[in-house]
Amino acid sequence: MPELPEVETVRRGLQPVMEGARILAVEQRRADLRFPFPADFTERLTGNTVTAVERRAKYLLFRLADGLTMIAHLGMSGSWRIEMRDDSELPGRFHYDKSRENAHDHVVLTLATAAGGEARTVYNDPRRFGFMLFADTATANAHPLLAGLGVEPTGNALGAEMLARLFAGKAAPLKAALLDQKLIAGLGNIYVCEALWRAKLSPRRKAGTLVRASGAPTARLERLAGAIRAVIAEAIEAGGSSLRDHRQTNGELGYFQHRFDVYDREGEPCRREGCGGTVMRIVQSGRSTFLCPRCQL
DNA sequence: CGAATGACCTGTGAGC
DNA sequence: TGCTCACAGGTCATTC
């Protein structure tokens, strides 16, 4: 499910409960997700303390007191939920509740929280494309999964000049270039479609056409950089997007799905003032792209 | 080298 | 109602 805004929403949910928490018990309910769990998965976590919950692109990074980092990915359908044992000022709408469990709860961490309470964080992942593995914190950035990642599409890091360097000479369609995690890290299918609509750019346009021969960004590229930052910021603000039944860690739905301008709106009218076009669906790199062929050029 | 395709999984909704 | 098919937020390995 999750693109950067959803992963960031998960991180913000887990952080207050997990940071400073000691892991009392680890329940690993199957041998593998996308990859096999490390052989010593439960041993390394049990008794350890979580010092920070960070994010890089769509990866969650659980920093541990003994110098390890647990690198975790939610794949397409992964989610975490928090359950508190007792009433507590910490976030988490659920209390321990057997009836909430299901066959796709693969990992359960029981925590002694920094606030002195007890909580469980439960990882659920029907399709099992997610994973968890360990790296030494000191060298985690050099881990093969993280080393090649591009710029974060948040804040000021991503600007038109940066995009111009990344796109110069590229024949790939904008859709493919924006999905490439080696260029920009964290965009996925939804937010690429949304950003391209906002920037009035066709997903089929070649990325290199947004860069001047001098290497300077065009006005179109300025628009695109602004659109990416805006859509990501707004989606994080809204708690991400909830497709199907995906929830935040406290069970709340995200809201951004109500603000989609093109994603999953095939056949519906373009929302742009005065456009009058109809949203269409095409397939690029084997994935659905949604666009308005009338105003995205 | 870059770009397309298949693979990994289960669940859901549309259409018959 | 029940069946089949297409498709789903991601990424990696393989093949042109």
Side-chain angles (χ1 to χ4, degrees), chain A residues 65-196:
Chain A
D66 67 347
L68 283 177
T69 289
M70 183 171 79
I71 302 173
H73 199 289
L74 302 172
M76 289 279 265
S77 58
S79 64
W80 286 88
R81 72 172 186 274
I82 299 168
E83 299 178 352
M84 307 302 296
R85 184 186 185 89
D86 303 303
D87 289 332
S88 163
E89 73 281 8
L90 288 172
R93 196 175 71 187
F94 305 134
H95 285 196
Y96 283 19
D97 180 2
K98 279 274 177 197
S99 71
R100 194 173 301 283
E101 298 192 7
N102 73 54
H104 303 302
D105 288 345
H106 305 307
V107 175
V108 181
L109 304 180
T110 303
L111 308 168
T113 70
E118 188 179 301
R120 294 197 302 208
T121 52
V122 182
Y123 180 69
N124 182 283
D125 189 354
R127 292 178 74 180
R128 304 201 299 274
F129 290 167
F131 57 84
M132 300 176 198
L133 51 81
F134 295 111
D136 288 326
T137 296
T139 55
N141 287 345
H143 190 280
L145 290 169
L146 305 182
L149 291 173
V151 61
E152 291 275 324
T154 54
N156 297 325
L158 183 137
E161 290 75 18
M162 165 77 72
L163 282 185
R165 281 194 293 277
L166 297 174
F167 286 179
K170 274 230 176 309
L174 280 173
K175 175 77 187 303
L178 293 175
L179 278 176
D180 186 345
Q181 304 295 299
K182 296 191 295 298
L183 302 179
I184 303 170
L187 298 183
N189 208 32
I190 291 175
Y191 297 108
V192 167
C193 292
E194 293 297 312
L196 286 169

